[in-house]
Amino acid sequence: MVTLDLYRVFYAVAKCGSSTRAADELFISQPAVSQAIKQLEMQLGTTLFNRTHNGMELSLNGGKLIFRQVEEALALLDDAEKKLTELKTSASGNIKIGATDAIFSNILADKIVQYNRKYPAVKIELITGTTPETLSQLKENKCDVGFINLPIEDKEVNFKGMVAQLSDIFVAGDKFAHLKGKKVSLSDLQEYPLLMIESNTVARRALANYTQTLGIQLNPDIEVENWDLMLKFAACGMGIGCVPREYAAPMLESGELFEVEVLPSLPIRGVGIALPKNIPLSYALKEFISMF
């Protein structure tokens, strides 16, 4: 099989019309150029150039027949190499980000806006789902980076640290105003209607694991599928909700909700970055991750 380097020498000689000028362009010696042309002619079984006193010109039944195809093929290869280089040195292409709706809204939104302003050429695809769903997407190479609720263990993905802390608290609306300023034991919360996120979530499992260590089992009166719905229900007096303080901050500041202080307080969780295993990171993705 003819090597690509021989075609590159052929193309340089054809463009320059001289093996000497081609040698200068390729940064190799003139004898090396002549040897490469002889080798290529031998392998193809035809004469590619006519040697004249003015230099070298393409032969009618050899060099001229293949010149255009060689030029197009080299251009395609150069373009492919350029694109690969751009992936490593410039932000282009696209990145697929997986996370829950709450993580997108409360943690990633501002960063995504900043990134888009800096790298408008990068197409950003947002893939929403629970943390287990995001992990599945990573394993199937359907997303490039996942922002997941911690704690969680999964040896099939790479964890790259924590990007935000989540402080789970209990919140309530005016219906439970008599609890303001009081400290309520976790066990006493069983006497009130409770709102909790769905049982298949990391947040719910973390709460259950912690309360079990205290010999307490908190059973929800209402399970909700997202934090926004829980906050709305809590503000309307449907129960006391367990939610990250960071997600409830606007409604706590406005007074629509207040924090029910519990003893002992719940442990701090976090949001971490997860990446697929054995997949090289594009420059665009590295730049996005570096923002955290």
Side-chain angles (χ1 to χ4, degrees), residues 2-288:
V2 178
T3 64
L4 181 60
D5 286 342
L6 294 182
Y7 282 120
R8 289 194 183 279
V9 173
F10 162 79
Y11 182 69
V13 173
K15 292 289 289 183
C16 295
S18 162
S19 59
T20 301
R21 288 195 293 273
D24 292 338
E25 184 174 298
L26 296 171
F27 299 102
I28 58 177
S29 66
Q30 190 274 332
V33 169
S34 298
Q35 183 60 36
I37 295 301
K38 288 181 181 178
Q39 186 177 346
L40 181 59
E41 289 178 329
M42 186 180 300
Q43 291 188 35
L44 295 179
T46 187
T47 299
L48 298 174
F49 291 96
N50 295 320
R51 282 74 173 174
T52 70
H53 64 279
N54 292 323
M56 300 179 69
E57 58 183 33
L58 292 169
S59 62
L60 182 63
N61 295 319
K64 286 187 177 181
L65 289 178
I66 68 170
F67 175 78
R68 190 59 59 194
Q69 288 90 339
V70 170
E71 183 177 49
E72 291 174 357
L74 291 177
L76 287 172
L77 288 171
D78 288 341
D79 185 55
E81 290 177 358
K82 181 180 178 181
K83 287 180 179 178
L84 288 175
T85 300
E86 287 176 351
L87 284 176
K88 297 176 183 177
T89 60
S90 64
S92 59
N94 67 295
I95 55 175
K96 294 176 286 187
I97 307 168
T100 65
D101 284 327
I103 291 175
F104 274 125
S105 298
N106 295 281
I107 297 172
L108 301 183
D110 290 343
K111 296 291 188 184
I112 290 172
V113 170
Q114 292 174 27
Y115 183 84
N116 177 253
R117 288 172 178 167
K118 186 175 182 180
Y119 299 113
V122 178
K123 179 183 177 182
I124 301 174
E125 183 178 348
L126 308 183
I127 304 173
T128 59
T130 64
T131 284
E133 289 170 344
T134 297
L135 289 173
S136 295
Q137 296 274 3
L138 286 169
K139 295 172 192 175
E140 296 169 8
N141 295 322
K142 292 181 179 178
C143 71
D144 302 311
V145 58
F147 291 81
I148 59 173
N149 286 301
L150 303 174
I152 198 165
E153 291 185 11
D154 195 316
K155 295 182 179 179
E156 296 182 50
V157 298
N158 286 330
F159 292 101
K160 292 295 182 182
M162 190 165 69
V163 298
Q165 288 188 344
L166 297 179
S167 306
D168 289 324
I169 60 172
F170 289 90
V171 298
D174 290 338
K175 183 176 179 179
F176 301 95
H178 61 283
L179 296 177
K180 283 184 179 180
K182 294 183 179 180
K183 296 187 182 297
V184 183
S185 69
L186 276 175
S187 59
D188 287 344
L189 279 180
Q190 298 172 96
E191 301 173 8
Y192 298 92
L194 295 177
L195 309 173
M196 291 186 185
I197 200 73
E198 291 180 333
S199 59
N200 64 338
T201 60
V202 172
R204 178 71 176 280
R205 288 200 296 268
L207 175 64
N209 291 338
Y210 177 64
T211 56
Q212 284 174 11
T213 64
L214 302 174
I216 300 171
Q217 184 173 351
L218 298 178
N219 296 311
D221 291 80
I222 300 177
E223 283 189 347
V224 296
E225 66 176 11
N226 62 66
W227 300 114
D228 288 339
L229 193 57
M230 179 186 291
L231 292 170
K232 183 174 291 187
F233 284 172
C236 292
M238 294 180 65
I240 297 175
C242 182
V243 61
R245 178 184 283 109
E246 293 75 11
Y247 299 169
M251 296 183 75
L252 290 171
E253 291 173 7
S254 70
E256 294 176 82
L257 293 171
F258 68 91
E259 179 180 352
V260 178
E261 297 184 61
V262 298
L263 292 174
S265 58
L266 302 181
I268 291 175
R269 298 186 294 112
V271 173
I273 294 179
L275 298 165
K277 275 199 169 180
N278 305 318
I279 302 285
L281 303 185
S282 68
Y283 181 81
L285 183 55
K286 287 180 182 178
E287 285 296 286
F288 182 71

